[in-house]
Amino acid sequence: MSPSRRDRLRRETLAEIREAARTLLTTRGSAAVTINAVAREVGMSGPALYHYFSGHDELVQAVTADFFAELGAEMRAARDAQRSGGGTISARLLATCRAMRGWAIAHPAEFGWIFTSPVPAAVTRSPDSARNLAGRDFERVFQEEIATLWETSPFPIPDDLPPAVRAQLRAYIDKLGVKLPVEAVYVTTSCWIRLYGLLCMEVLNQLDYIYTDVEPIFEECLKDMAGLLGLDYEPPPA
């Protein structure tokens, strides 16, 4: 059944509110994203905006979910382009990681909003919140390719993980719904943490005092990751 006119208008207004929040973030910084400021951007009062979002935290999480979805879409597009062109699993994984970096560099404010802002306790206690669901969908882009790799070419894994680490990884696997041994996820999350840490330092300008071009460092990181996963490193297109 087609949505009613009222439902369509509500969806359009919700999208307009989230876009206004993004504009404030990218032009004036995260501190500018307040309920009243967003309301002014869309031509309504602060109290009226509460008809659409219960408060600042819910608005923030909705916008964060949008960013996760956009980033995930960029990564999937890069992966699928390699897949349709007959690219190897190595080419797909590397393209996925490079797409993540490309989006982060092009959208530093949004990347910072997602990955460097503290996550409220209320969100961590709500595993099925819009933000967390979008975040898990984003993570699957990487982990599902690893699961495909594992089915055909298992890579070296440790055999002595501490019980506490093993239990936490098992819980993470259950949330993502991927079919991988705990030890394999340990290897891939270690790769992911290193990539993510380097990207955060680059986007937040924490490496400017050393490097004016971080891409070669990122590529070295990708080369190391490929080696750990038993893959051939393929340089980016010229």
Side-chain angles (χ1 to χ4, degrees):
M1 186 173 67
S2 300
S4 67
R5 181 173 181 275
R6 180 177 180 180
D7 289 339
R8 290 198 305 272
L9 288 173
R10 180 173 178 83
R11 283 204 301 269
E12 291 170 3
T13 303
L14 286 168
E16 185 181 2
I17 291 170
R18 296 197 304 271
E19 186 58 34
R22 182 175 193 164
T23 298
L24 287 168
L25 170 69
T26 57
T27 58
R28 295 170 53 189
S30 59
V33 186
T34 65
I35 289 292
N36 287 335
V38 172
R40 284 195 297 270
E41 289 291 315
V42 297
M44 66 173 64
S45 67
L49 196 140
Y50 285 101
H51 292 295
Y52 298 93
F53 292 97
S54 62
H56 182 262
D57 281 351
E58 185 181 6
L59 173 60
V60 166
Q61 301 319 314
V63 175
T64 303
D66 287 346
F67 295 163
F68 268 128
E70 185 177 311
L71 173 54
E74 288 281 325
M75 294 166 67
R76 283 191 177 88
R79 177 201 64 190
D80 294 345
Q82 287 292 330
R83 181 176 289 161
S84 63
T88 63
I89 180 67
S90 178
R92 296 202 303 267
L93 271 173
L94 294 172
T96 298
C97 294
R98 289 171 183 141
M100 179 175 71
R101 178 174 179 265
W103 187 90
I105 292 172
H107 304 90
E110 293 92 329
F111 180 84
W113 182 289
I114 294 176
F115 292 110
T116 65
S117 301
V119 180
V123 174
T124 61
R125 291 194 298 266
S126 302
D128 294 331
S129 68
R131 179 204 183 279
N132 290 337
L133 290 174
R136 288 203 293 273
D137 191 53
F138 152 73
E139 292 166 17
R140 286 191 192 98
V141 182
F142 184 79
Q143 294 290 5
E144 285 175 354
E145 285 299 305
I146 298 297
T148 300
L149 169 65
W150 182 261
E151 289 177 0
T152 56
S153 303
F155 43 86
I157 56 176
D159 57 6
D160 57 350
L161 291 180
V165 173
R166 184 179 296 277
Q168 293 174 81
L169 288 173
R170 171 52 58 196
Y172 174 65
I173 291 170
D174 291 344
K175 283 192 297 185
L176 276 189
V178 295
K179 295 181 179 180
L180 279 169
V182 167
E183 295 83 0
V185 174
Y186 174 81
V187 173
T188 60
T189 53
S190 297
C191 294
W192 184 257
I193 289 168
R194 182 178 172 190
L195 285 172
Y196 159 66
L198 176 59
L199 192 51
C200 282
M201 293 186 74
E202 179 182 8
V203 174
L204 297 178
N205 304 314
Q206 295 298 311
L207 295 175
D208 287 6
Y209 72 102
I210 307 175
Y211 298 112
T212 57
D213 180 9
V214 182
E215 183 175 3
I217 309 304
F218 189 78
E219 288 299 320
E220 281 297 312
C221 192
L222 291 181
K223 185 182 292 186
D224 291 345
M225 180 189 76
L228 288 171
L229 298 176
L231 297 170
D232 292 328
Y233 168 77
E234 301 180 23

Coordinates of all heavy atoms in Angstrom, one line a residue, residues 129-199:
S129 N 19.6 0.2 18.1 CA 19.3 1.6 17.7 C 19.7 1.8 16.2 O 20.4 1.0 15.6 CB 20.1 2.5 18.6 OG 21.5 2.4 18.3
A130 N 19.1 2.9 15.6 CA 19.4 3.1 14.2 C 20.9 3.3 14.0 O 21.4 2.8 13.0 CB 18.7 4.4 13.8
R131 N 21.6 3.9 14.9 CA 23.0 4.1 14.7 C 23.8 2.8 14.7 O 24.6 2.5 13.9 CB 23.6 5.0 15.8 CG 25.1 5.2 15.8 CD 25.7 5.6 17.1 NE 27.1 5.8 17.0 CZ 28.0 4.9 16.9 NH1 27.7 3.6 17.0 NH2 29.3 5.2 16.8
N132 N 23.4 1.9 15.7 CA 24.2 0.7 15.8 C 23.9 -0.3 14.7 O 24.7 -1.0 14.2 CB 23.8 0.0 17.2 CG 24.5 0.8 18.3 OD1 25.4 1.5 18.2 ND2 23.9 0.7 19.5
L133 N 22.6 -0.3 14.2 CA 22.3 -1.1 13.1 C 23.0 -0.7 11.8 O 23.5 -1.5 11.1 CB 20.7 -1.1 12.9 CG 19.9 -1.8 13.9 CD1 18.4 -1.6 13.6 CD2 20.2 -3.3 14.0
A134 N 23.1 0.6 11.6 CA 23.8 1.1 10.5 C 25.3 0.9 10.6 O 25.9 0.5 9.6 CB 23.5 2.6 10.3
G135 N 25.8 1.0 11.8 CA 27.2 0.7 12.0 C 27.6 -0.8 11.7 O 28.6 -1.1 11.1
R136 N 26.7 -1.7 12.1 CA 27.0 -3.1 11.9 C 26.9 -3.4 10.4 O 27.6 -4.2 9.9 CB 26.0 -4.0 12.7 CG 26.3 -4.0 14.2 CD 25.7 -5.2 14.8 NE 24.3 -5.3 14.8 CZ 23.5 -4.7 15.8 NH1 24.1 -4.1 16.8 NH2 22.2 -4.9 15.7
D137 N 25.9 -2.7 9.7 CA 25.8 -2.9 8.3 C 27.1 -2.5 7.6 O 27.6 -3.1 6.6 CB 24.6 -2.2 7.8 CG 24.2 -2.6 6.3 OD1 24.1 -3.8 6.0 OD2 24.1 -1.6 5.5
F138 N 27.6 -1.4 8.0 CA 28.9 -0.8 7.5 C 30.0 -1.8 7.7 O 30.8 -2.1 6.8 CB 29.2 0.5 8.1 CG 30.6 0.9 8.2 CD1 31.3 1.3 7.1 CD2 31.3 0.9 9.4 CE1 32.7 1.6 7.2 CE2 32.6 1.2 9.5 CZ 33.3 1.6 8.4
E139 N 30.1 -2.4 8.9 CA 31.2 -3.3 9.2 C 31.1 -4.6 8.4 O 32.1 -5.2 8.1 CB 31.1 -3.7 10.7 CG 31.5 -2.5 11.7 CD 31.1 -2.8 13.1 OE1 30.8 -4.0 13.4 OE2 31.0 -1.9 13.9
R140 N 29.9 -5.0 8.0 CA 29.7 -6.2 7.3 C 30.4 -6.1 5.9 O 30.8 -7.1 5.3 CB 28.3 -6.6 7.1 CG 27.6 -7.1 8.4 CD 26.2 -7.7 8.1 NE 25.5 -7.9 9.3 CZ 24.6 -7.1 9.9 NH1 24.3 -6.0 9.2 NH2 24.0 -7.4 11.0
V141 N 30.5 -4.9 5.3 CA 31.1 -4.8 4.0 C 32.5 -5.4 4.0 O 32.9 -6.1 3.1 CB 31.2 -3.3 3.6 CG1 31.8 -3.1 2.2 CG2 29.8 -2.6 3.7
F142 N 33.2 -5.2 5.1 CA 34.6 -5.7 5.2 C 34.6 -7.2 5.6 O 35.2 -8.0 5.0 CB 35.4 -4.8 6.2 CG 36.8 -5.2 6.4 CD1 37.8 -4.8 5.4 CD2 37.2 -5.9 7.5 CE1 39.1 -5.1 5.6 CE2 38.6 -6.3 7.6 CZ 39.5 -5.9 6.7
Q143 N 33.8 -7.4 6.7 CA 33.9 -8.8 7.2 C 33.3 -9.8 6.3 O 33.7 -11.0 6.3 CB 33.2 -8.8 8.6 CG 33.8 -8.0 9.7 CD 35.1 -8.6 10.2 OE1 35.6 -9.5 9.6 NE2 35.7 -7.9 11.2
E144 N 32.3 -9.5 5.5 CA 31.7 -10.5 4.6 C 32.7 -10.9 3.5 O 32.7 -12.0 3.1 CB 30.4 -9.9 4.0 CG 29.2 -9.9 5.0 CD 28.0 -9.3 4.4 OE1 28.0 -8.7 3.3 OE2 27.0 -9.4 5.1
E145 N 33.5 -9.9 3.1 CA 34.6 -10.3 2.1 C 35.6 -11.2 2.8 O 36.1 -12.1 2.1 CB 35.2 -9.0 1.6 CG 34.4 -8.2 0.6 CD 34.1 -9.0 -0.7 OE1 35.0 -9.6 -1.3 OE2 32.9 -9.2 -1.0
I146 N 35.9 -11.0 4.0 CA 36.8 -11.9 4.7 C 36.2 -13.3 4.8 O 36.9 -14.3 4.7 CB 37.1 -11.3 6.1 CG1 37.8 -9.9 6.0 CG2 38.0 -12.3 6.9 CD1 39.1 -10.0 5.4
A147 N 34.9 -13.3 5.1 CA 34.3 -14.6 5.2 C 34.3 -15.4 3.9 O 34.6 -16.6 3.8 CB 32.8 -14.5 5.6
T148 N 34.2 -14.7 2.8 CA 34.3 -15.3 1.4 C 35.7 -15.8 1.2 O 35.9 -16.9 0.7 CB 34.0 -14.3 0.4 OG1 32.6 -13.8 0.5 CG2 34.1 -14.9 -1.0
L149 N 36.7 -15.0 1.6 CA 38.1 -15.4 1.5 C 38.4 -16.7 2.4 O 39.0 -17.6 1.9 CB 39.0 -14.3 2.0 CG 40.5 -14.6 2.2 CD1 41.1 -15.0 0.9 CD2 41.2 -13.4 2.8
W150 N 37.8 -16.7 3.6 CA 38.1 -17.8 4.5 C 37.6 -19.1 3.9 O 38.2 -20.2 4.1 CB 37.5 -17.5 5.8 CG 37.8 -18.6 6.9 CD1 36.9 -19.6 7.2 CD2 39.0 -18.8 7.6 NE1 37.5 -20.4 8.2 CE2 38.8 -19.9 8.4 CE3 40.2 -18.1 7.7 CZ2 39.7 -20.4 9.3 CZ3 41.1 -18.5 8.5 CH2 40.9 -19.7 9.3
E151 N 36.5 -19.1 3.2 CA 35.9 -20.3 2.6 C 36.8 -21.0 1.6 O 36.8 -22.2 1.5 CB 34.5 -20.0 2.0 CG 33.4 -19.6 2.9 CD 32.1 -19.2 2.2 OE1 32.1 -19.2 1.0 OE2 31.1 -18.9 2.9
T152 N 37.6 -20.2 0.9 CA 38.4 -20.7 -0.2 C 39.9 -20.8 0.2 O 40.6 -21.7 -0.2 CB 38.2 -19.9 -1.5 OG1 38.5 -18.5 -1.2 CG2 36.8 -20.0 -2.0
S153 N 40.3 -19.8 1.0 CA 41.8 -19.7 1.3 C 42.0 -19.2 2.7 O 42.3 -18.0 3.0 CB 42.4 -18.7 0.3 OG 42.3 -19.0 -1.0
P154 N 41.8 -20.1 3.7 CA 42.0 -19.7 5.1 C 43.4 -19.2 5.3 O 44.4 -19.7 4.7 CB 41.8 -21.0 5.8 CG 41.0 -21.9 4.9 CD 41.4 -21.5 3.5
F155 N 43.5 -18.1 6.1 CA 44.8 -17.5 6.3 C 45.3 -17.9 7.7 O 44.5 -18.4 8.5 CB 44.7 -16.0 6.2 CG 43.4 -15.4 6.9 CD1 43.4 -15.1 8.2 CD2 42.3 -15.2 6.1 CE1 42.3 -14.6 8.8 CE2 41.1 -14.7 6.7 CZ 41.1 -14.4 8.1
P156 N 46.6 -17.7 8.0 CA 47.1 -18.1 9.4 C 46.4 -17.4 10.5 O 46.1 -16.2 10.4 CB 48.6 -17.6 9.3 CG 48.9 -17.5 7.8 CD 47.6 -17.1 7.2
I157 N 46.1 -18.1 11.6 CA 45.4 -17.5 12.7 C 46.1 -18.0 14.0 O 46.8 -19.0 14.0 CB 43.9 -18.0 12.8 CG1 43.9 -19.5 12.8 CG2 43.1 -17.4 11.6 CD1 42.5 -20.1 12.9
P158 N 46.0 -17.2 15.1 CA 46.6 -17.6 16.3 C 45.9 -18.7 17.0 O 44.7 -19.0 16.7 CB 46.5 -16.3 17.2 CG 45.3 -15.6 16.6 CD 45.3 -15.9 15.2
D159 N 46.6 -19.4 17.9 CA 45.9 -20.6 18.6 C 45.9 -20.4 20.1 O 45.7 -21.3 20.8 CB 46.6 -21.9 18.2 CG 48.1 -21.9 18.5 OD1 48.6 -20.9 19.1 OD2 48.7 -22.9 18.1
D160 N 46.2 -19.2 20.5 CA 46.4 -19.0 22.0 C 45.7 -17.7 22.5 O 46.2 -16.9 23.3 CB 47.8 -18.9 22.4 CG 48.6 -17.9 21.6 OD1 48.1 -17.3 20.7 OD2 49.8 -17.6 22.0
L161 N 44.5 -17.4 21.9 CA 43.8 -16.2 22.4 C 43.4 -16.3 23.8 O 42.9 -17.3 24.3 CB 42.5 -16.0 21.5 CG 42.8 -15.6 20.0 CD1 41.4 -15.4 19.3 CD2 43.6 -14.3 19.9
P162 N 43.5 -15.2 24.6 CA 43.0 -15.2 26.0 C 41.5 -15.4 26.0 O 40.8 -15.0 25.1 CB 43.4 -13.8 26.5 CG 44.5 -13.4 25.6 CD 44.2 -14.0 24.2
P163 N 41.0 -16.1 27.0 CA 39.6 -16.4 27.1 C 38.7 -15.1 27.1 O 37.7 -15.1 26.4 CB 39.5 -17.1 28.5 CG 40.8 -17.7 28.7 CD 41.8 -16.8 28.1
A164 N 39.2 -14.1 27.7 CA 38.4 -12.8 27.7 C 38.3 -12.3 26.3 O 37.2 -11.8 25.9 CB 39.0 -11.8 28.6
V165 N 39.4 -12.3 25.5 CA 39.3 -11.9 24.1 C 38.4 -12.7 23.3 O 37.6 -12.3 22.5 CB 40.8 -11.8 23.5 CG1 40.7 -11.5 22.0 CG2 41.6 -10.8 24.3
R166 N 38.5 -14.0 23.5 CA 37.7 -15.0 22.7 C 36.2 -14.7 23.0 O 35.4 -14.7 22.0 CB 38.1 -16.4 23.1 CG 37.4 -17.5 22.3 CD 37.9 -18.9 22.8 NE 39.3 -19.0 22.5 CZ 39.8 -19.4 21.3 NH1 38.9 -19.7 20.4 NH2 41.0 -19.6 21.1
A167 N 35.9 -14.5 24.2 CA 34.4 -14.3 24.6 C 33.9 -13.0 23.9 O 32.8 -13.0 23.4 CB 34.3 -14.2 26.1
Q168 N 34.7 -12.0 23.9 CA 34.2 -10.7 23.3 C 34.1 -10.8 21.8 O 33.2 -10.3 21.2 CB 35.2 -9.6 23.7 CG 35.2 -9.2 25.2 CD 36.3 -8.2 25.5 OE1 36.1 -7.0 25.3 NE2 37.4 -8.7 26.0
L169 N 35.0 -11.5 21.2 CA 34.9 -11.7 19.8 C 33.8 -12.6 19.4 O 33.1 -12.3 18.3 CB 36.2 -12.3 19.2 CG 37.5 -11.4 19.2 CD1 38.7 -12.1 18.8 CD2 37.2 -10.2 18.3
R170 N 33.5 -13.6 20.2 CA 32.3 -14.4 19.9 C 31.0 -13.6 20.0 O 30.1 -13.8 19.1 CB 32.3 -15.6 20.9 CG 31.0 -16.4 20.9 CD 30.6 -16.9 19.6 NE 31.7 -17.7 19.0 CZ 31.8 -18.0 17.7 NH1 30.8 -17.6 16.8 NH2 32.7 -18.8 17.2
A171 N 30.9 -12.7 20.9 CA 29.7 -11.8 21.0 C 29.6 -10.9 19.8 O 28.5 -10.7 19.2 CB 29.8 -11.0 22.3
Y172 N 30.8 -10.4 19.3 CA 30.8 -9.6 18.2 C 30.4 -10.3 16.9 O 29.6 -9.8 16.1 CB 32.2 -9.0 18.0 CG 32.5 -8.2 16.7 CD1 31.8 -7.0 16.5 CD2 33.4 -8.7 15.8 CE1 32.1 -6.3 15.4 CE2 33.6 -7.9 14.6 CZ 33.0 -6.7 14.4 OH 33.2 -6.0 13.3
I173 N 30.9 -11.6 16.7 CA 30.5 -12.4 15.6 C 29.0 -12.6 15.6 O 28.3 -12.6 14.6 CB 31.3 -13.7 15.6 CG1 32.7 -13.5 15.4 CG2 30.7 -14.7 14.6 CD1 33.6 -14.7 15.6
D174 N 28.4 -12.9 16.8 CA 27.0 -13.2 16.9 C 26.2 -11.9 16.4 O 25.1 -12.1 15.8 CB 26.6 -13.6 18.3 CG 27.2 -14.9 18.7 OD1 27.6 -15.7 17.7 OD2 27.2 -15.2 19.9
K175 N 26.7 -10.8 16.8 CA 26.0 -9.5 16.4 C 26.0 -9.3 14.9 O 25.1 -8.9 14.2 CB 26.6 -8.3 17.1 CG 26.1 -8.2 18.6 CD 26.5 -6.8 19.1 CE 28.0 -6.6 19.2 NZ 28.4 -5.4 19.9
L176 N 27.2 -9.6 14.3 CA 27.4 -9.3 12.9 C 26.7 -10.4 12.0 O 26.3 -10.1 10.9 CB 28.9 -9.3 12.5 CG 29.6 -8.0 12.7 CD1 31.0 -8.1 12.1 CD2 28.9 -6.8 12.1
G177 N 26.7 -11.6 12.5 CA 26.1 -12.7 11.8 C 26.9 -13.2 10.6 O 26.4 -13.7 9.6
V178 N 28.3 -13.1 10.8 CA 29.2 -13.6 9.8 C 29.7 -15.0 10.2 O 29.7 -15.3 11.4 CB 30.4 -12.7 9.6 CG1 29.9 -11.4 9.0 CG2 31.2 -12.5 10.8
K179 N 30.1 -15.8 9.3 CA 30.5 -17.2 9.5 C 32.0 -17.2 9.5 O 32.6 -17.5 8.4 CB 29.9 -18.2 8.6 CG 28.4 -18.3 8.7 CD 27.8 -19.3 7.7 CE 26.3 -19.4 7.9 NZ 25.7 -20.4 6.9
L180 N 32.6 -16.9 10.6 CA 34.1 -16.9 10.7 C 34.5 -17.5 12.1 O 33.8 -17.2 13.1 CB 34.6 -15.5 10.6 CG 34.8 -14.9 9.2 CD1 35.1 -13.5 9.2 CD2 35.9 -15.7 8.4
P181 N 35.6 -18.2 12.2 CA 36.1 -18.6 13.5 C 36.6 -17.3 14.3 O 36.9 -16.3 13.7 CB 37.4 -19.5 13.1 CG 37.2 -19.8 11.7 CD 36.4 -18.7 11.1
V182 N 36.5 -17.5 15.6 CA 36.9 -16.4 16.4 C 38.4 -15.9 16.1 O 38.6 -14.7 16.0 CB 36.8 -16.8 17.9 CG1 37.6 -15.8 18.8 CG2 35.4 -17.0 18.3
E183 N 39.2 -16.9 15.9 CA 40.6 -16.5 15.6 C 40.8 -15.7 14.3 O 41.6 -14.8 14.2 CB 41.5 -17.8 15.5 CG 41.6 -18.6 16.8 CD 40.4 -19.5 17.0 OE1 39.5 -19.5 16.2 OE2 40.4 -20.2 18.1
A184 N 40.0 -16.0 13.3 CA 40.0 -15.3 12.1 C 39.5 -13.9 12.2 O 40.1 -12.9 11.7 CB 39.2 -16.0 11.0
V185 N 38.5 -13.7 13.0 CA 38.0 -12.4 13.3 C 39.0 -11.6 14.1 O 39.1 -10.3 13.9 CB 36.6 -12.4 14.1 CG1 36.2 -11.1 14.5 CG2 35.6 -13.1 13.2
Y186 N 39.8 -12.2 15.0 CA 40.8 -11.5 15.7 C 41.8 -10.9 14.7 O 42.2 -9.8 14.9 CB 41.5 -12.5 16.7 CG 42.7 -11.9 17.3 CD1 42.6 -11.1 18.5 CD2 44.0 -12.1 16.9 CE1 43.7 -10.5 19.1 CE2 45.1 -11.5 17.5 CZ 44.9 -10.7 18.6 OH 46.0 -10.2 19.2
V187 N 42.2 -11.7 13.7 CA 43.2 -11.2 12.7 C 42.6 -10.0 12.0 O 43.2 -9.0 11.8 CB 43.6 -12.3 11.8 CG1 44.5 -11.8 10.6 CG2 44.3 -13.4 12.5
T188 N 41.4 -10.2 11.5 CA 40.8 -9.1 10.7 C 40.5 -7.9 11.5 O 40.7 -6.7 11.0 CB 39.5 -9.6 10.0 OG1 38.5 -10.0 11.0 CG2 39.8 -10.8 9.1
T189 N 40.0 -8.0 12.7 CA 39.8 -6.8 13.5 C 41.1 -6.1 13.9 O 41.1 -4.9 14.0 CB 39.0 -7.1 14.8 OG1 39.7 -8.2 15.5 CG2 37.6 -7.6 14.5
S190 N 42.2 -6.9 14.0 CA 43.5 -6.3 14.2 C 43.9 -5.4 13.0 O 44.4 -4.3 13.2 CB 44.5 -7.3 14.5 OG 44.2 -8.0 15.7
C191 N 43.7 -6.0 11.8 CA 43.9 -5.2 10.6 C 43.1 -4.0 10.5 O 43.5 -2.8 10.2 CB 43.7 -6.1 9.4 SG 44.8 -7.5 9.2
W192 N 41.8 -4.1 10.9 CA 40.8 -3.0 10.8 C 41.2 -1.9 11.8 O 41.1 -0.7 11.5 CB 39.4 -3.6 11.1 CG 38.3 -2.6 11.0 CD1 37.7 -1.9 12.0 CD2 37.7 -2.1 9.8 NE1 36.7 -1.1 11.5 CE2 36.8 -1.2 10.2 CE3 38.0 -2.4 8.5 CZ2 36.0 -0.5 9.2 CZ3 37.2 -1.7 7.5 CH2 36.2 -0.8 7.9
I193 N 41.6 -2.3 13.0 CA 42.0 -1.3 14.0 C 43.2 -0.5 13.5 O 43.2 0.8 13.7 CB 42.2 -2.0 15.4 CG1 40.9 -2.5 16.0 CG2 42.9 -1.0 16.3 CD1 41.1 -3.4 17.1
R194 N 44.1 -1.2 12.9 CA 45.3 -0.4 12.4 C 44.9 0.5 11.3 O 45.3 1.7 11.3 CB 46.3 -1.4 11.9 CG 47.6 -0.8 11.5 CD 48.7 -1.7 11.0 NE 49.8 -1.1 10.4 CZ 50.8 -1.7 9.8 NH1 50.8 -3.0 9.7 NH2 51.7 -1.0 9.2
L195 N 44.1 0.1 10.4 CA 43.7 0.9 9.3 C 42.9 2.1 9.8 O 43.1 3.3 9.4 CB 42.8 0.2 8.3 CG 43.5 -0.8 7.3 CD1 42.4 -1.6 6.6 CD2 44.4 -0.1 6.4
Y196 N 41.9 1.8 10.7 CA 41.1 2.9 11.3 C 41.9 3.9 12.1 O 41.7 5.1 11.9 CB 40.0 2.2 12.1 CG 39.4 3.1 13.2 CD1 38.6 4.2 12.8 CD2 39.6 2.9 14.5 CE1 38.0 5.0 13.7 CE2 39.0 3.7 15.5 CZ 38.2 4.7 15.1 OH 37.6 5.5 16.0
G197 N 42.9 3.4 12.8 CA 43.7 4.3 13.6 C 44.5 5.3 12.7 O 44.6 6.5 13.0
L198 N 45.1 4.7 11.7 CA 45.8 5.5 10.8 C 44.9 6.6 10.1 O 45.3 7.7 10.0 CB 46.5 4.6 9.7 CG 47.3 5.4 8.6 CD1 48.4 6.2 9.2 CD2 47.9 4.3 7.6
L199 N 43.8 6.1 9.7 CA 42.8 7.0 9.0 C 42.4 8.2 9.9 O 42.3 9.3 9.5 CB 41.6 6.2 8.5 CG 40.7 6.9 7.5 CD1 41.5 7.6 6.4 CD2 39.7 6.0 7.0

